[in-house]
Amino acid sequence: DQPDLHRNAPRPSMDCLYGLVDDVAQAGSKTTEANPHAVALNFIAYLSAAVGRGVYLPVGNTWHHPRIFGQHVGRTGRGRKGDAVGVVHRIDKALRALDPTIAPQVHAGGLSSREGLVFLIHDGFKEGKNEVEPIHDKRLWVVETEFSNVLQQSKRDGNTLSAALRDLWDGVSLKPATKANRLSTTDPHVALSVAITPSELRALMASRELTNGFANRFLLIWAERTKLLPFPTATEQSVINSLAKKVKKVLDFAGADRPVEGDRLRMEFTAEAKKRYETLYRGELSDQSAGEKVSALLERRAPTLLRLSMLFALTDSTLEITVEHINAALAWVRYWSDSVKFVFASELDEAGTAQTNGDAEKIVEFLTTKGKSTRKQITVDCFQGHATKTRIDTAIDELLSATPSRIVVEPVPRPDNKPGSPTKFYTLAANSANSANSEAPPGFSGSSQDREFSELCELRPQTDDQAKTTVRTVRTVSELSNRAAGRANAHDSHNSHSSQADSEMEVF
């Protein structure tokens, strides 16, 4: 019998369409073939750019601003990617008619280089003997209908567009990349709406994009038309004008008319929302059971949920994030998760991942009862010899590379210092006396390698009279082979920030 590998396309919850986002989604899809969730994602990205850096949510030493990179994936002709963004452009135009200063800058001409991107929101530069005035409003919504072009550009030697986009998602200032080019931008606030077909995405997304944090900064959704309309009609202008007024109300509340005044309005969780987020953070948002590739692509679920929650709260004209706002954001995170699995993992891949997870849980239950065990005992006593060596090793590797590690390996020397390799015992990490003092991630000998990571961050001042400092940290970590980067902690993915470990620091 052959396995049945058929499965449904992602089915988003209606909880995604919350408040004003729902109003825009329905207006853009009611008389067209555009998918309402694709319309909503483009509007969320636009709104996140328009809000600016005036509102912030502190989590530890990271101050979050509501920036969203949205990625619409759909097949050619069926995704209706152009229709999904068209209504947002019309709302932007109507908003400018109401107040030309409150709307963000919009760029839809394509991206090719770091320098070209920085030029749109530059700090000013000298052209010959003339000083070019800086662009003070650093809010920018970029629309890239052919995201494949960006992925192609990132493959070129010397092209740093991918790195620039990573830094813009983090919100850190972009300094000159070379001595010859002195373009820079301070406190940028950039959001993206990109579109691509699934075949292009799979073909062009190189392994480095999967492991360097570029791909997982995009909230990816699979969305195609939900109905056939031979004669679609445009959304009535009166509806567009009404939506523009609602958007203006949100932006007025967020202080978007003062884009140069950052970090003025602090957002907070309600007590119930804080409990809800804590539960999600310890569970679903940190879950790594979907396999290495999928888990790497979803590494930034926690910070993305926070940013979405901020936006939903602002649409209600409040600085308090409630459970309702978190639930709406969670619906998007789940839609994102389902879409990533649908695009990047086959049903056969998911079946293999499910088997590995099941085997891993079986080993944990066995060690819970046994206390500690050798590799042979796991094979014979836990699986009764009915599982292959590869299958058991895969499950053990999954437990060793979990964050934190669920089991550890404890080599025990042979009695009386007899020659030969020590006997390895596997035990639960919580029961290991050495696990707390381990300086390197536990694993098999030779399974890790040292890598250097260069990260940008902005150190927040302790007092108002202190300047904000941008630093680049370079840290060396021991990493399991063939494991995606960024598995240390879900909050490590909130922003590019300096490690708690020793690091070399360069101040700009």
Side-chain angles (χ1 to χ4, degrees), residues 162-237:
S162 171
L165 291 175
R166 295 199 308 269
D167 289 340
L168 289 174
W169 189 91
D170 296 338
V172 299
S173 303
L174 298 184
K175 301 301 181 182
T178 63
K179 292 182 178 179
N181 191 324
R182 304 305 298 173
L183 283 177
S184 66
T185 181
T186 304
D187 290 340
H189 188 79
V190 179
L192 269 68
S193 289
V194 304
I196 193 171
T197 66
S199 57
E200 288 176 325
L201 182 60
R202 287 190 292 261
L204 295 174
M205 187 68 74
S207 59
R208 63 181 179 182
E209 270 80 37
L210 296 175
T211 59
N212 68 4
F214 176 73
N216 60 32
R217 281 171 166 82
F218 287 85
L219 174 57
L220 180 157
I221 66 165
W222 170 277
E224 297 188 335
R225 62 188 179 192
T226 57
K227 57 181 178 293
L228 297 175
L229 289 178
F231 302 104
T233 59
T235 306
E236 293 182 4
Q237 188 59 42

Side-chain angles (χ1 to χ4, degrees), residues 263-476:
D263 303 330
R264 293 180 296 102
L265 301 175
R266 177 176 176 142
M267 302 193 75
E268 300 281 359
F269 287 104
T270 64
E272 294 78 10
K274 186 175 293 186
K275 293 179 182 178
R276 174 66 168 150
Y277 177 73
E278 181 179 359
T279 300
L280 291 171
Y281 182 79
R282 295 180 182 277
E284 186 172 342
L285 297 178
S286 301
D287 178 48
Q288 302 287 330
S289 64
E292 182 178 333
K293 179 185 290 186
V294 171
S295 296
L297 288 167
L298 298 173
E299 190 64 40
R300 285 179 167 79
R301 285 169 291 188
T304 300
L305 181 139
L306 292 177
R307 296 181 180 196
L308 289 169
S309 299
M310 293 174 70
L311 285 174
F312 289 130
L314 291 174
T315 61
D316 286 338
S317 297
T318 178
L319 296 177
E320 279 196 330
I321 298 173
T322 67
V323 172
E324 289 74 19
H325 302 139
I326 289 180
N327 288 341
L330 178 63
W332 280 101
V333 170
R334 288 174 173 171
Y335 186 16
W336 178 18
S337 177
D338 291 342
S339 297
V340 166
K341 293 175 184 177
F342 187 74
V343 173
F344 286 97
S346 67
E347 179 65 19
L348 194 59
D349 293 332
E350 292 188 10
T353 299
Q355 182 181 71
T356 299
N357 292 336
D359 291 342
E361 292 304 321
K362 190 171 183 178
I363 293 173
V364 169
E365 292 177 5
F366 176 73
L367 293 178
T368 300
T369 303
K370 186 76 172 178
K372 66 178 181 178
S373 176
T374 64
R375 174 69 172 73
K376 183 176 181 180
Q377 289 172 327
I378 292 176
T379 301
V380 175
D381 297 337
C382 180
F383 290 93
Q384 288 77 48
H386 296 315
T388 65
K389 178 181 183 300
T390 300
R391 179 176 153 186
I392 295 175
D393 285 342
T394 301
I396 290 175
D397 284 343
E398 186 66 26
L399 293 169
L400 288 169
S401 61
T403 309
S405 298
R406 301 183 65 187
I407 66 173
V408 295
V409 184
E410 295 184 343
V412 177
R414 291 180 176 272
D416 301 324
N417 294 321
K418 292 181 178 180
S421 301
T423 303
K424 290 184 178 180
F425 286 91
Y426 297 86
T427 185
L428 296 179
N431 298 335
S432 172
N434 298 325
S435 61
N437 299 321
S438 178
E439 296 181 357
F444 294 111
S445 176
S447 65
S448 64
Q449 55 183 317
D450 288 340
R451 293 188 181 181
E452 279 194 350
F453 289 90
S454 177
E455 301 175 331
L456 280 176
C457 69
E458 288 184 349
L459 302 182
R460 298 288 173 181
Q462 298 297 319
T463 60
D464 293 338
D465 59 344
Q466 290 179 318
K468 183 163 48 181
T469 303
T470 301
V471 301
R472 180 185 298 278
T473 61
V474 180
R475 60 191 177 96
T476 302

Side-chain angles (χ1 to χ4, degrees), residues 10-124:
R11 296 179 176 179
S13 168
M14 292 305 296
D15 290 342
C16 292
L17 305 182
Y18 179 90
L20 178 57
V21 172
D22 183 32
D23 295 341
V24 174
Q26 301 307 326
S29 62
K30 183 177 181 180
T31 60
T32 72
E33 292 184 338
N35 186 298
H37 288 83
V39 175
L41 180 64
N42 285 311
F43 175 68
I44 285 173
Y46 172 81
L47 186 64
S48 73
V51 165
R53 300 174 69 113
V55 292
Y56 69 97
L57 175 67
V59 178
N61 291 322
T62 300
W63 291 17
H64 289 277
H65 304 102
R67 283 178 299 275
I68 297 295
F69 285 11
Q71 183 174 188
H72 176 190
V73 180
R75 290 169 289 184
T76 301
R78 305 183 194 183
R80 290 295 185 262
K81 296 183 280 290
D83 291 342
V85 75
V87 70
V88 184
H89 280 298
R90 291 184 62 193
I91 293 173
D92 173 71
K93 183 177 180 180
L95 179 63
R96 293 177 190 281
L98 293 174
D99 186 348
T101 66
I102 206 169
Q105 183 184 173
V106 177
H107 175 72
L111 299 174
S112 60
S113 67
R114 172 193 179 100
E115 291 72 22
L117 182 55
V118 173
F119 181 78
L120 298 172
I121 47 175
H122 64 80
D123 287 337

